[in-house]
Amino acid sequence: MASETRNIVIVGGGIIGCTSAYFLTRHPSFNPAIHKITVLEATAIASGASGKAGGLLALWAYPANIVPLSYRLHAELAKEHDGARRWGYRAVHCGSIDAKGKKLDAGGTDEGKGEEWKKLPKTHIKPGKTIGVEIPKELDWFDNESIRSYSEMGDPSTTAQVHPYQFTTSMADLAKEAGANIIFGKVTALDYTGHGVNGVTYEDKETKQSHTLPATDIILAAGPWTSKIFPDAPIESTRAHSVVIKADVSPYAVFTEIELPKDFSIPGKKRRHGKNVNPEMYARPDGTVYACGETDDLTPLPATADLVACDTSRCDDISAYLSSISSVLKSSEVLTKQACYLPLVSSGGGPIIGETGIKGLLLATGHTCWGIQNSCATGKLVSEFVFEGGAMSANVESLDPRNVM
Ligand SMILES: Cc1cc2nc3c(=O)[nH]c(=O)nc-3n(C[C@H](O)[C@H](O)[C@H](O)COP(=O)(O)OP(=O)(O)OC[C@H]3O[C@@H](n4cnc5c(N)ncnc54)[C@H](O)[C@@H]3O)c2cc1C
């Protein structure tokens, strides 16, 4: 099958589509003379969650059948392509802080009763070893008097990070240099009449003209949008806000359990707050701290990534929660306020990677909150499905899309 002419079309230029393109171009059977690889992206590379995620990589992530492979591939790619410089790859410490937040200087009116915080599923992990009230001395960007306890969740041998936007765009660039083509256009239809896939129709981003690309293989990697293109894919989505703050602090990823004071309120805002909040923070080597807040289902997924609505007051909430336990972050400039949608598998678990029962149509989606971590394994496995007819590097039977379709 690898010796035949192939038109491989990847739908979606997020981290999953771009790592798929990268690993396809690195597969030993890839021959640019007969194998055409095209990424079709509706708006811009990494315009969804892949450009707005935290970027934490962890050996203690899930699912266990692909995590070690992906973690290792991240390290290998960073070594091969100078990922430390190019996409901020580095090993980090990771811990969880239990803290009592302080009131902010001047509050607005705290209206109504706060709702329970909707956690990103990333924190559904075993708590680590509790060290006690003493937090590591390098974690000096938190106010000591606010901290009740600190639990270690990972160390630099088990935890690392990348800048997701830089990593995804680098994967796209490296795939392009090796022969892949990137087209900006929104896929409007997949043709899989007859014995398998035949083509992909898209609307060109600039001209708005409709075109059809012939396809022998389609990799559907459109994250939360996957079910809009292929309704049989059981993919849902949920929104999450995040901020990027200018602060050059020690290399830690920090999960939190913050109890807010009873009368906590944010200057100039009239908003309710839950009693306990759980923002996550990742210090980055570029002198910033990324922090994300809770998930919400207030606004359905829009047609394209550029139409995602960011409710800046939710970003302000995140900053206020951080400020309640960190004077350093309180006095730092907020550089970015943003929102994106997490792709979820309707029945839970995820991701789903592999065949659909339609010849030539593969799914690689539903990566929940570990899509950055699991991107490399997904891309590698996609390349094996395409050129070798099945997964070779990991047993991914439990992630077979046909189990949930
Ligand atoms: C707040 C937050 C923090 C996170 N932190 C982490 C983390 O620390 N570590 C980690 O491992 N994971 C993290 N994640 C999860 C990770 O971001 C996602 O799992 C991952 O980005 C999903 O990648 P994707 O390529 O499947 O989807 P996306 O990034 O959504 O990409 C899908 C792409 O498909 C394109 N597309 C959609 N429809 C069409 C169409 N019709 N035609 C053509 N193109 C189309 C979109 O424009 C988009 O570019 C986080 C997620 C969130 C929300």
Side-chain angles (χ1 to χ4, degrees):
M1 68 196 316
S3 58
E4 293 164 11
T5 301
R6 305 278 283 272
N7 287 314
I8 304 159
V9 180
I10 300 168
V11 182
I15 199 164
I16 302 303
C18 294
T19 48
S20 296
Y22 173 88
F23 280 100
L24 280 162
T25 62
R26 263 54 182 185
H27 193 280
S29 298
F30 172 61
N31 176 355
I34 54 169
H35 301 141
K36 193 162 183 216
I37 299 170
T38 307
V39 177
L40 270 169
E41 165 52 47
T43 54
I45 298 296
S47 51
S50 301
K52 300 183 170 76
L56 191 67
L57 315 176
L59 267 178
W60 40 270
Y62 57 80
N65 47 350
I66 58 169
V67 163
L69 170 67
S70 215
Y71 193 81
R72 175 170 61 77
L73 290 171
H74 263 294
E76 288 174 11
L77 285 188
K79 202 166 170 205
E80 185 180 345
H81 300 292
D82 193 9
R85 185 189 55 80
R86 202 164 170 175
W87 55 76
Y89 176 87
R90 71 172 174 184
V92 283
H93 290 273
C94 180
S96 171
I97 279 177
D98 184 358
K100 170 107 177 136
K102 285 192 293 257
K103 273 169 74 172
L104 302 181
D105 306 335
T109 320
D110 189 12
E111 284 197 339
K113 195 173 171 296
E115 286 165 16
E116 206 175 311
W117 179 274
K118 293 196 183 86
K119 280 188 184 188
L120 277 170
K122 204 189 279 142
T123 45
H124 291 185
I125 48 170
K126 280 201 301 273
K129 141 176 109 181
T130 300
I131 294 179
V133 281
E134 277 289 304
I135 71 169
K137 68 172 183 338
E138 315 80 59
L139 206 44
D140 53 4
W141 35 296
F142 291 97
D143 302 338
N144 246 318
E145 66 278 13
S146 298
I147 309 302
R148 289 166 167 162
S149 67
Y150 174 81
S151 310
E152 188 178 88
M153 291 165 65
D155 62 37
S157 69
T158 60
T159 317
Q161 69 181 155
V162 295
H163 189 299
Y165 178 82
Q166 293 168 357
F167 178 77
T168 305
T169 50
S170 296
M171 287 294 105
D173 291 345
L174 290 164
K176 214 170 151 190
E177 282 162 25
N181 188 24
I182 299 176
I183 295 178
F184 292 100
K186 184 180 174 212
V187 170
T188 51
L190 307 179
D191 176 2
Y192 47 89
T193 49
H195 296 295
V197 302
N198 306 303
V200 179
T201 301
Y202 68 95
E203 185 189 274
D204 187 275
K205 192 182 164 197
E206 295 304 320
T207 65
K208 307 288 177 213
Q209 302 265 319
S210 184
H211 301 276
T212 299
L213 283 180
T216 54
D217 305 83
I218 300 173
I219 294 118
L220 198 42
W225 288 274
T226 303
S227 49
K228 304 250 183 222
I229 302 165
F230 181 59
D232 285 352
I235 298 296
E236 297 172 2
S237 60
T238 186
R239 187 174 67 162
H241 286 81
S242 51
V243 295
V244 181
I245 298 170
K246 190 168 189 261
D248 201 357
V249 297
S250 56
Y252 270 82
V254 181
F255 291 79
T256 63
E257 177 77 37
I258 305 173
E259 185 192 331
L260 296 175
K262 217 167 158 213
D263 47 356
F264 184 81
S265 57
I266 299 175
K269 306 263 172 211
K270 290 186 176 181
R271 234 168 89 66
R272 49 170 185 57
H273 302 277
K275 185 168 180 262
N276 295 298
V277 295
N278 307 92
E280 298 170 19
M281 282 159 257
Y282 309 136
R284 287 179 169 166
D286 61 0
T288 62
V289 172
Y290 168 94
C292 58
E294 66 179 324
T295 61
D296 77 79
D297 297 316
L298 300 172
T299 316
L301 183 73
T304 48
D306 51 347
L307 298 176
V308 169
C310 172
D311 176 351
T312 55
S313 73
R314 292 197 162 250
C315 297
D316 296 340
D317 288 349
I318 301 170
S319 304
Y321 302 150
L322 309 188
S323 299
S324 79
I325 59 166
S326 167
S327 309
V328 171
L329 297 180
K330 187 179 175 193
S331 60
S332 301
E333 186 189 354
V334 177
L335 301 174
T336 310
K337 299 180 184 184
Q338 58 193 8
C340 62
Y341 284 79
L342 192 69
L344 302 167
V345 178
S346 311
S347 53
I352 47 177
I353 306 167
E355 294 171 16
T356 55
I358 296 165
K359 191 167 173 283
L361 180 61
L362 296 175
L363 283 183
T365 187
H367 285 73
T368 72
C369 58
W370 285 116
I372 310 303
Q373 145 65 36
N374 291 325
S375 57
C376 296
T378 305
K380 175 120 181 119
L381 291 162
V382 162
S383 76
E384 294 169 354
F385 273 108
V386 170
F387 285 124
E388 298 174 69
M392 301 293 151
S393 302
N395 181 342
V396 287
E397 279 168 25
S398 62
L399 311 182
D400 190 324
R402 293 168 295 189
N403 296 339
V404 290
M405 277 170 60

